[in-house]
PDB file of all heavy atoms in Angstrom:
ATOM      1  N   LEU M 230      39.223 -66.950 -58.701  1.00 60.00           N
ATOM      2  CA  LEU M 230      40.125 -67.320 -59.767  1.00 60.00           C
ATOM      3  C   LEU M 230      41.587 -67.136 -59.345  1.00 60.00           C
ATOM      4  O   LEU M 230      42.451 -67.997 -59.490  1.00 60.00           O
ATOM      5  CB  LEU M 230      39.814 -66.498 -61.079  1.00 60.00           C
ATOM      6  CG  LEU M 230      40.681 -66.749 -62.249  1.00 60.00           C
ATOM      7  CD1 LEU M 230      40.509 -68.081 -62.752  1.00 60.00           C
ATOM      8  CD2 LEU M 230      40.444 -65.768 -63.497  1.00 60.00           C
ATOM      9  N   HIS M 231      41.901 -65.888 -58.963  1.00 65.00           N
ATOM     10  CA  HIS M 231      43.331 -65.663 -58.560  1.00 65.00           C
ATOM     11  C   HIS M 231      43.745 -66.375 -57.298  1.00 65.00           C
ATOM     12  O   HIS M 231      44.955 -66.782 -57.150  1.00 65.00           O
ATOM     13  CB  HIS M 231      43.555 -64.158 -58.368  1.00 65.00           C
ATOM     14  CG  HIS M 231      43.456 -63.397 -59.681  1.00 65.00           C
ATOM     15  ND1 HIS M 231      44.434 -63.404 -60.554  1.00 65.00           N
ATOM     16  CD2 HIS M 231      42.435 -62.681 -60.210  1.00 65.00           C
ATOM     17  CE1 HIS M 231      44.092 -62.624 -61.570  1.00 65.00           C
ATOM     18  NE2 HIS M 231      42.857 -62.264 -61.465  1.00 65.00           N
ATOM     19  N   ALA M 232      42.938 -66.640 -56.345  1.00 72.00           N
ATOM     20  CA  ALA M 232      43.256 -67.420 -55.235  1.00 72.00           C
ATOM     21  C   ALA M 232      43.423 -68.826 -55.599  1.00 72.00           C
ATOM     22  O   ALA M 232      44.426 -69.462 -55.003  1.00 72.00           O
ATOM     23  CB  ALA M 232      42.171 -67.224 -54.267  1.00 72.00           C
ATOM     24  N   GLY M 233      42.674 -69.416 -56.556  1.00 68.00           N
ATOM     25  CA  GLY M 233      42.868 -70.666 -56.978  1.00 68.00           C
ATOM     26  C   GLY M 233      44.137 -70.868 -57.806  1.00 68.00           C
ATOM     27  O   GLY M 233      44.898 -71.951 -57.627  1.00 68.00           O
ATOM     28  N   ALA M 234      44.525 -69.804 -58.525  1.00 66.00           N
ATOM     29  CA  ALA M 234      45.960 -69.846 -59.260  1.00 66.00           C
ATOM     30  C   ALA M 234      47.011 -69.941 -58.267  1.00 66.00           C
ATOM     31  O   ALA M 234      47.916 -70.742 -58.484  1.00 66.00           O
ATOM     32  CB  ALA M 234      45.999 -68.713 -60.150  1.00 66.00           C
ATOM     33  N   LEU M 235      46.838 -69.221 -57.112  1.00 72.00           N
ATOM     34  CA  LEU M 235      48.013 -69.168 -56.191  1.00 72.00           C
ATOM     35  C   LEU M 235      47.938 -70.598 -55.468  1.00 72.00           C
ATOM     36  O   LEU M 235      49.158 -71.078 -55.036  1.00 72.00           O
ATOM     37  CB  LEU M 235      47.735 -68.137 -55.067  1.00 72.00           C
ATOM     38  CG  LEU M 235      47.988 -66.618 -55.663  1.00 72.00           C
ATOM     39  CD1 LEU M 235      47.730 -65.799 -54.474  1.00 72.00           C
ATOM     40  CD2 LEU M 235      49.516 -66.570 -56.118  1.00 72.00           C
ATOM     41  N   GLU M 236      46.822 -71.119 -55.312  1.00 72.00           N
ATOM     42  CA  GLU M 236      46.935 -72.476 -54.589  1.00 72.00           C
ATOM     43  C   GLU M 236      47.543 -73.551 -55.448  1.00 72.00           C
ATOM     44  O   GLU M 236      48.077 -74.401 -54.935  1.00 72.00           O
ATOM     45  CB  GLU M 236      45.338 -72.825 -54.290  1.00 72.00           C
ATOM     46  CG  GLU M 236      45.138 -74.147 -53.542  1.00 72.00           C
ATOM     47  CD  GLU M 236      43.759 -74.478 -53.255  1.00 72.00           C
ATOM     48  OE1 GLU M 236      42.905 -73.633 -53.745  1.00 72.00           O
ATOM     49  OE2 GLU M 236      43.476 -75.475 -52.663  1.00 72.00           O
ATOM     50  N   PHE M 237      47.080 -73.528 -56.748  1.00 71.00           N
ATOM     51  CA  PHE M 237      47.659 -74.653 -57.635  1.00 71.00           C
ATOM     52  C   PHE M 237      49.049 -74.270 -58.220  1.00 71.00           C
ATOM     53  O   PHE M 237      49.447 -75.083 -58.967  1.00 71.00           O
ATOM     54  CB  PHE M 237      46.653 -74.927 -58.732  1.00 71.00           C
ATOM     55  CG  PHE M 237      45.327 -75.653 -58.151  1.00 71.00           C
ATOM     56  CD1 PHE M 237      44.188 -74.852 -57.953  1.00 71.00           C
ATOM     57  CD2 PHE M 237      45.315 -76.903 -57.792  1.00 71.00           C
ATOM     58  CE1 PHE M 237      43.094 -75.433 -57.486  1.00 71.00           C
ATOM     59  CE2 PHE M 237      44.157 -77.513 -57.271  1.00 71.00           C
ATOM     60  CZ  PHE M 237      42.998 -76.772 -57.103  1.00 71.00           C
ATOM     61  N   ARG M 238      49.520 -73.161 -58.062  1.00 72.00           N
ATOM     62  CA  ARG M 238      50.825 -72.753 -58.530  1.00 72.00           C
ATOM     63  C   ARG M 238      51.860 -72.382 -57.405  1.00 72.00           C
ATOM     64  O   ARG M 238      52.172 -71.133 -57.348  1.00 72.00           O
ATOM     65  CB  ARG M 238      50.689 -71.554 -59.554  1.00 72.00           C
ATOM     66  CG  ARG M 238      50.028 -71.833 -60.865  1.00 72.00           C
ATOM     67  CD  ARG M 238      50.927 -72.688 -61.762  1.00 72.00           C
ATOM     68  NE  ARG M 238      52.159 -72.014 -61.989  1.00 72.00           N
ATOM     69  CZ  ARG M 238      52.372 -71.010 -62.858  1.00 72.00           C
ATOM     70  NH1 ARG M 238      51.337 -70.532 -63.587  1.00 72.00           N
ATOM     71  NH2 ARG M 238      53.651 -70.413 -62.929  1.00 72.00           N
ATOM     72  N   PRO M 239      52.084 -73.317 -56.525  1.00 74.00           N
ATOM     73  CA  PRO M 239      52.913 -72.960 -55.471  1.00 74.00           C
ATOM     74  C   PRO M 239      54.426 -72.560 -55.883  1.00 74.00           C
ATOM     75  O   PRO M 239      55.161 -71.916 -55.240  1.00 74.00           O
ATOM     76  CB  PRO M 239      53.046 -74.192 -54.608  1.00 74.00           C
ATOM     77  CG  PRO M 239      52.638 -75.338 -55.624  1.00 74.00           C
ATOM     78  CD  PRO M 239      51.761 -74.728 -56.513  1.00 74.00           C
ATOM     79  N   ASP M 240      54.711 -72.894 -57.123  1.00 75.00           N
ATOM     80  CA  ASP M 240      56.048 -72.602 -57.726  1.00 75.00           C
ATOM     81  C   ASP M 240      56.050 -71.403 -58.537  1.00 75.00           C
ATOM     82  O   ASP M 240      57.094 -71.083 -59.303  1.00 75.00           O
ATOM     83  CB  ASP M 240      56.543 -73.836 -58.563  1.00 75.00           C
ATOM     84  CG  ASP M 240      55.532 -74.129 -59.697  1.00 75.00           C
ATOM     85  OD1 ASP M 240      54.348 -73.711 -59.622  1.00 75.00           O
ATOM     86  OD2 ASP M 240      55.809 -74.820 -60.703  1.00 75.00           O
ATOM     87  N   ALA M 241      55.024 -70.513 -58.390  1.00 75.00           N
ATOM     88  CA  ALA M 241      54.969 -69.296 -59.275  1.00 75.00           C
ATOM     89  C   ALA M 241      56.121 -68.323 -58.714  1.00 75.00           C
ATOM     90  O   ALA M 241      56.414 -68.415 -57.599  1.00 75.00           O
ATOM     91  CB  ALA M 241      53.498 -68.608 -59.020  1.00 75.00           C
ATOM     92  N   SER M 242      56.433 -67.462 -59.722  1.00 80.00           N
ATOM     93  CA  SER M 242      57.484 -66.615 -59.425  1.00 80.00           C
ATOM     94  C   SER M 242      57.010 -65.529 -58.353  1.00 80.00           C
ATOM     95  O   SER M 242      55.848 -65.275 -58.249  1.00 80.00           O
ATOM     96  CB  SER M 242      57.987 -65.902 -60.702  1.00 80.00           C
ATOM     97  OG  SER M 242      56.990 -65.093 -61.271  1.00 80.00           O
ATOM     98  N   PRO M 243      57.948 -64.864 -57.726  1.00 80.00           N
ATOM     99  CA  PRO M 243      57.436 -63.733 -56.878  1.00 80.00           C
ATOM    100  C   PRO M 243      56.740 -62.690 -57.572  1.00 80.00           C
ATOM    101  O   PRO M 243      55.744 -62.103 -56.914  1.00 80.00           O
ATOM    102  CB  PRO M 243      58.754 -63.282 -56.277  1.00 80.00           C
ATOM    103  CG  PRO M 243      59.690 -64.432 -56.276  1.00 80.00           C
ATOM    104  CD  PRO M 243      59.294 -65.088 -57.620  1.00 80.00           C
ATOM    105  N   GLU M 244      57.077 -62.351 -58.791  1.00 80.00           N
ATOM    106  CA  GLU M 244      56.377 -61.305 -59.488  1.00 80.00           C
ATOM    107  C   GLU M 244      54.893 -61.738 -59.820  1.00 80.00           C
ATOM    108  O   GLU M 244      53.973 -60.921 -59.659  1.00 80.00           O
ATOM    109  CB  GLU M 244      57.094 -60.992 -60.871  1.00 80.00           C
ATOM    110  CG  GLU M 244      58.390 -60.361 -60.718  1.00 80.00           C
ATOM    111  CD  GLU M 244      59.486 -61.359 -60.361  1.00 80.00           C
ATOM    112  OE1 GLU M 244      59.204 -62.567 -60.335  1.00 80.00           O
ATOM    113  OE2 GLU M 244      60.648 -60.964 -60.036  1.00 80.00           O
TER     114      GLU M 244
END
Side-chain angles (χ1 to χ4, degrees):
L230 177 63
H231 289 280
L235 291 178
E236 179 182 2
F237 291 102
R238 290 282 309 276
D240 56 342
S242 64
E244 293 78 8

